[in-house]
Amino acid sequence: MRTRQFLVWGLLVVGIVVAAVVGSQRADQGLPLDPTSPRPSGTKALVDTLRDLGVDVSVSSELPTGSGSALLLADDLTEDRRAELLEWVNDGGTLVVADPSSPVTPMEPAGDTSIGFVEAQLEPRCALPAVRDVGRVSAPGAVVFRVPPGAQACFPRDQGSWLVAVPKGAGTVVRLGGASAVLNREIGKADNAVLMVDLLAPGPGAAVTVLRPPKPGGGSKGLGALIAPRVKLALLQLLIAFLLLALWRSRRLGRPVTEPTAVRIRGSELVVAVGNLLQRARHRRQAAALLSGDLRRTLAERLGLPASAPAQQVAETATARTGIQQERVLAALEPSMPRNEAELVALGQEIDTIRTEVVSAHGAG
């Protein structure tokens, strides 16, 4: 008992400490991908870098208007707003999409940026003007896309590319395999800052709109859209394995295996037990049917008739071979419902008498 009390108090103290640590965090640290957050998972460093270079940067949830470029960190747009954003691109805007699952342009993942357990840096190997001064980028945990026809690919890995530029009318949609390269903890590594500045603000007087990502629980994506494809595949494999296991355990091949009865009782005891149950339940009709059925099987066996012979045939054969009245045998084989236990006892005695007479007469003959 004392150990349980110490455990309860220990858990209570740990909960208070955790609540204090969480509550002591500054409210202005922001959320992941938040352009105003200085946390390692925020993107404030990119916004500050652009402003220090004289770029007109606006952080907003509203779609961009006029010329310039826009950065879409997390795509929670509705179909109508996404179509409106693509119209803006067609008019000459540049849209950089850092959400690899965004449906703004059809793009199929082909792998990731990892080499085994190592997150390697990527080289451009393309002729895009925005990568002219870029030597390498650091994009840990990102994916690479299969390059669609008509698109220009940069930073290749395996059979895909981390950056894919797709022309749309007079503008361009630049797809990135993830937002890790623009986070505060990665923007200063390799040439990430150079790449993002050249993509979003290629010339003086540029205007950049950073679309604010949704708050937790405020996006338009469902639970299924938030689950990574590999996790879905793993869950599907587990489901298939469970179904195969259930099928294997439920289907037993081969002949049925006889198992010993848990409790063995004598036949006479079983008969007595069944009779007691019928008596308690007052099932006189069922008891009479059992007695007459046993008589019919016994007579059919003695008289050489099939076991399925009807009562009329058994009675006629018994009369012809033993001389017993047919009506008497038929009344025992097809009795009416006894009205009380006395009639049931009388029926049993009559059935036993007929059985004895037929067996004796047939044996003597």
Side-chain angles (χ1 to χ4, degrees), residues 33 72-75 97-109 111 141-145 162 175-180 221 229:
L33 299 178
L72 182 61
L73 294 168
D75 188 355
V97 182
D99 186 349
S101 62
S102 172
V104 67
T105 53
M107 205 71 64
E108 180 183 357
V143 302
V144 293
F145 299 113
W162 175 74
R175 296 296 304 269
L176 304 180
S180 59
K221 293 183 179 180

Short mmCIF file of all heavy atoms in Angstrom, two decimals, residues 33 72-75 97-109 111 141-145 162 175-180 221 229:
data_model
loop_
_atom_site.label_atom_id
_atom_site.label_comp_id
_atom_site.label_asym_id
_atom_site.label_seq_id
_atom_site.Cartn_x
_atom_site.Cartn_y
_atom_site.Cartn_z
N LEU A 33 6.49 25.94 -38.88
CA LEU A 33 6.37 26.62 -40.18
C LEU A 33 5.85 28.05 -40.05
O LEU A 33 5.67 28.73 -41.07
CB LEU A 33 5.46 25.84 -41.14
CG LEU A 33 5.91 24.43 -41.54
CD1 LEU A 33 4.87 23.80 -42.46
CD2 LEU A 33 7.26 24.44 -42.20
N LEU A 72 4.12 28.95 -50.47
CA LEU A 72 3.07 28.15 -49.86
C LEU A 72 3.74 27.08 -49.00
O LEU A 72 4.26 26.09 -49.50
CB LEU A 72 2.19 27.50 -50.93
CG LEU A 72 1.01 26.65 -50.45
CD1 LEU A 72 0.04 27.48 -49.63
CD2 LEU A 72 0.28 26.01 -51.63
N LEU A 73 3.73 27.30 -47.67
CA LEU A 73 4.42 26.39 -46.75
C LEU A 73 3.60 25.13 -46.49
O LEU A 73 4.16 24.03 -46.44
CB LEU A 73 4.70 27.12 -45.44
CG LEU A 73 5.69 28.27 -45.52
CD1 LEU A 73 5.67 29.10 -44.24
CD2 LEU A 73 7.09 27.75 -45.80
N ALA A 74 2.30 25.27 -46.30
CA ALA A 74 1.41 24.13 -46.06
C ALA A 74 0.11 24.38 -46.81
O ALA A 74 -0.52 25.42 -46.62
CB ALA A 74 1.15 23.94 -44.57
N ASP A 75 -0.26 23.44 -47.67
CA ASP A 75 -1.43 23.62 -48.53
C ASP A 75 -2.69 23.14 -47.81
O ASP A 75 -2.98 21.94 -47.74
CB ASP A 75 -1.23 22.84 -49.83
CG ASP A 75 -2.33 23.13 -50.83
OD1 ASP A 75 -3.27 23.86 -50.49
OD2 ASP A 75 -2.24 22.64 -51.97
N VAL A 97 6.07 26.03 -53.72
CA VAL A 97 5.27 25.15 -52.88
C VAL A 97 6.22 24.25 -52.10
O VAL A 97 6.95 23.45 -52.69
CB VAL A 97 4.29 24.30 -53.72
CG1 VAL A 97 3.43 23.43 -52.81
CG2 VAL A 97 3.42 25.20 -54.58
N ALA A 98 6.21 24.40 -50.76
CA ALA A 98 7.08 23.59 -49.90
C ALA A 98 6.35 22.42 -49.28
O ALA A 98 6.94 21.70 -48.47
CB ALA A 98 7.67 24.48 -48.80
N ASP A 99 5.10 22.22 -49.63
CA ASP A 99 4.31 21.09 -49.12
C ASP A 99 4.32 19.98 -50.16
O ASP A 99 3.71 20.10 -51.23
CB ASP A 99 2.87 21.55 -48.85
CG ASP A 99 2.04 20.47 -48.18
OD1 ASP A 99 2.51 19.32 -48.11
OD2 ASP A 99 0.93 20.78 -47.71
N PRO A 100 5.04 18.87 -49.91
CA PRO A 100 5.14 17.82 -50.94
C PRO A 100 3.82 17.13 -51.24
O PRO A 100 3.67 16.52 -52.30
CB PRO A 100 6.15 16.84 -50.35
CG PRO A 100 6.09 17.07 -48.88
CD PRO A 100 5.79 18.52 -48.69
N SER A 101 2.85 17.21 -50.34
CA SER A 101 1.56 16.56 -50.57
C SER A 101 0.53 17.48 -51.21
O SER A 101 -0.62 17.08 -51.37
CB SER A 101 1.00 16.03 -49.25
OG SER A 101 0.76 17.09 -48.33
N SER A 102 0.93 18.66 -51.57
CA SER A 102 0.00 19.62 -52.16
C SER A 102 -0.47 19.15 -53.53
O SER A 102 0.34 18.72 -54.36
CB SER A 102 0.67 20.99 -52.29
OG SER A 102 -0.16 21.88 -53.03
N PRO A 103 -1.79 19.23 -53.81
CA PRO A 103 -2.29 18.86 -55.12
C PRO A 103 -2.31 20.02 -56.12
O PRO A 103 -3.02 19.94 -57.12
CB PRO A 103 -3.70 18.37 -54.81
CG PRO A 103 -4.13 19.20 -53.65
CD PRO A 103 -2.89 19.47 -52.85
N VAL A 104 -1.58 21.08 -55.82
CA VAL A 104 -1.62 22.24 -56.71
C VAL A 104 -1.15 21.88 -58.11
O VAL A 104 -1.64 22.41 -59.10
CB VAL A 104 -0.78 23.39 -56.10
CG1 VAL A 104 0.71 23.05 -56.08
CG2 VAL A 104 -1.01 24.69 -56.85
N THR A 105 -0.19 20.96 -58.23
CA THR A 105 0.21 20.39 -59.52
C THR A 105 0.43 18.90 -59.30
O THR A 105 1.01 18.51 -58.27
CB THR A 105 1.51 21.02 -60.05
OG1 THR A 105 2.53 20.96 -59.05
CG2 THR A 105 1.29 22.47 -60.45
N PRO A 106 0.00 18.05 -60.22
CA PRO A 106 0.19 16.60 -60.04
C PRO A 106 1.68 16.27 -59.95
O PRO A 106 2.45 16.61 -60.84
CB PRO A 106 -0.45 16.00 -61.29
CG PRO A 106 -1.39 17.05 -61.80
CD PRO A 106 -0.75 18.36 -61.46
N MET A 107 2.09 15.61 -58.86
CA MET A 107 3.49 15.28 -58.65
C MET A 107 3.56 13.97 -57.86
O MET A 107 2.96 13.86 -56.79
CB MET A 107 4.20 16.40 -57.90
CG MET A 107 5.71 16.46 -58.13
SD MET A 107 6.15 17.01 -59.80
CE MET A 107 5.52 18.69 -59.80
N GLU A 108 4.30 13.00 -58.39
CA GLU A 108 4.38 11.68 -57.77
C GLU A 108 5.72 11.51 -57.07
O GLU A 108 6.77 11.70 -57.69
CB GLU A 108 4.21 10.60 -58.83
CG GLU A 108 4.27 9.19 -58.28
CD GLU A 108 4.16 8.16 -59.39
OE1 GLU A 108 3.99 8.55 -60.55
OE2 GLU A 108 4.28 6.95 -59.08
N PRO A 109 5.74 11.15 -55.78
CA PRO A 109 7.01 10.92 -55.09
C PRO A 109 7.75 9.73 -55.68
O PRO A 109 7.14 8.74 -56.08
CB PRO A 109 6.59 10.66 -53.64
CG PRO A 109 5.21 11.22 -53.53
CD PRO A 109 4.59 11.05 -54.87
N GLY A 111 10.98 8.83 -54.08
CA GLY A 111 11.97 8.44 -53.08
C GLY A 111 12.16 9.56 -52.08
O GLY A 111 11.29 10.42 -51.90
N GLY A 141 15.02 14.79 -44.59
CA GLY A 141 13.66 14.27 -44.45
C GLY A 141 12.73 14.63 -45.58
O GLY A 141 11.52 14.49 -45.44
N ALA A 142 13.27 15.11 -46.70
CA ALA A 142 12.41 15.52 -47.82
C ALA A 142 12.24 14.38 -48.81
O ALA A 142 12.90 13.34 -48.72
CB ALA A 142 13.02 16.74 -48.51
N VAL A 143 11.33 14.56 -49.76
CA VAL A 143 11.09 13.58 -50.80
C VAL A 143 11.59 14.12 -52.13
O VAL A 143 11.86 15.32 -52.27
CB VAL A 143 9.59 13.23 -50.91
CG1 VAL A 143 9.06 12.70 -49.60
CG2 VAL A 143 8.78 14.45 -51.35
N VAL A 144 11.72 13.24 -53.10
CA VAL A 144 12.05 13.65 -54.47
C VAL A 144 10.90 13.23 -55.37
O VAL A 144 10.25 12.21 -55.13
CB VAL A 144 13.39 13.03 -54.94
CG1 VAL A 144 14.55 13.59 -54.15
CG2 VAL A 144 13.37 11.51 -54.82
N PHE A 145 10.63 14.04 -56.40
CA PHE A 145 9.49 13.82 -57.28
C PHE A 145 9.93 13.21 -58.60
O PHE A 145 11.05 13.45 -59.07
CB PHE A 145 8.77 15.14 -57.58
CG PHE A 145 8.22 15.84 -56.37
CD1 PHE A 145 8.74 17.05 -55.95
CD2 PHE A 145 7.18 15.28 -55.66
CE1 PHE A 145 8.23 17.69 -54.85
CE2 PHE A 145 6.66 15.92 -54.54
CZ PHE A 145 7.19 17.13 -54.15
N TRP A 162 14.48 16.88 -56.13
CA TRP A 162 13.93 17.58 -54.98
C TRP A 162 13.24 18.88 -55.39
O TRP A 162 12.27 19.30 -54.76
CB TRP A 162 15.05 17.88 -53.98
CG TRP A 162 14.62 18.71 -52.82
CD1 TRP A 162 13.88 18.31 -51.76
CD2 TRP A 162 14.91 20.10 -52.60
NE1 TRP A 162 13.67 19.36 -50.89
CE2 TRP A 162 14.31 20.48 -51.38
CE3 TRP A 162 15.63 21.06 -53.31
CZ2 TRP A 162 14.39 21.76 -50.86
CZ3 TRP A 162 15.72 22.34 -52.80
CH2 TRP A 162 15.10 22.69 -51.59
N ARG A 175 8.03 23.33 -57.23
CA ARG A 175 7.72 22.35 -56.20
C ARG A 175 8.99 21.94 -55.46
O ARG A 175 9.98 21.56 -56.08
CB ARG A 175 7.07 21.12 -56.81
CG ARG A 175 5.71 21.36 -57.47
CD ARG A 175 4.69 21.82 -56.45
NE ARG A 175 4.56 20.87 -55.36
CZ ARG A 175 3.69 19.87 -55.35
NH1 ARG A 175 2.88 19.68 -56.37
NH2 ARG A 175 3.62 19.07 -54.30
N LEU A 176 8.95 22.00 -54.13
CA LEU A 176 10.03 21.52 -53.29
C LEU A 176 9.58 20.23 -52.60
O LEU A 176 8.41 20.09 -52.25
CB LEU A 176 10.42 22.56 -52.23
CG LEU A 176 10.82 23.95 -52.74
CD1 LEU A 176 11.18 24.85 -51.56
CD2 LEU A 176 11.98 23.87 -53.71
N GLY A 177 10.51 19.33 -52.39
CA GLY A 177 10.18 18.05 -51.77
C GLY A 177 9.96 18.10 -50.28
O GLY A 177 9.92 17.06 -49.63
N GLY A 178 9.81 19.29 -49.72
CA GLY A 178 9.59 19.44 -48.30
C GLY A 178 9.98 20.83 -47.85
O GLY A 178 10.68 21.57 -48.55
N ALA A 179 9.53 21.20 -46.64
CA ALA A 179 9.80 22.54 -46.12
C ALA A 179 11.01 22.58 -45.20
O ALA A 179 11.28 23.61 -44.60
CB ALA A 179 8.57 23.04 -45.36
N SER A 180 11.74 21.45 -45.08
CA SER A 180 12.86 21.44 -44.13
C SER A 180 13.94 22.45 -44.50
O SER A 180 14.60 23.00 -43.62
CB SER A 180 13.46 20.03 -44.07
OG SER A 180 13.92 19.62 -45.36
N LYS A 221 -7.59 19.51 -44.51
CA LYS A 221 -7.26 18.12 -44.82
C LYS A 221 -7.88 17.19 -43.79
O LYS A 221 -7.96 17.51 -42.61
CB LYS A 221 -5.73 17.92 -44.84
CG LYS A 221 -5.02 18.64 -45.97
CD LYS A 221 -3.54 18.34 -45.96
CE LYS A 221 -2.82 19.04 -47.11
NZ LYS A 221 -1.36 18.75 -47.10
N PRO A 229 2.18 8.20 -47.06
CA PRO A 229 1.91 7.01 -47.88
C PRO A 229 2.57 5.75 -47.35
O PRO A 229 2.00 4.66 -47.40
CB PRO A 229 2.46 7.41 -49.26
CG PRO A 229 2.43 8.90 -49.27
CD PRO A 229 2.71 9.32 -47.86
#
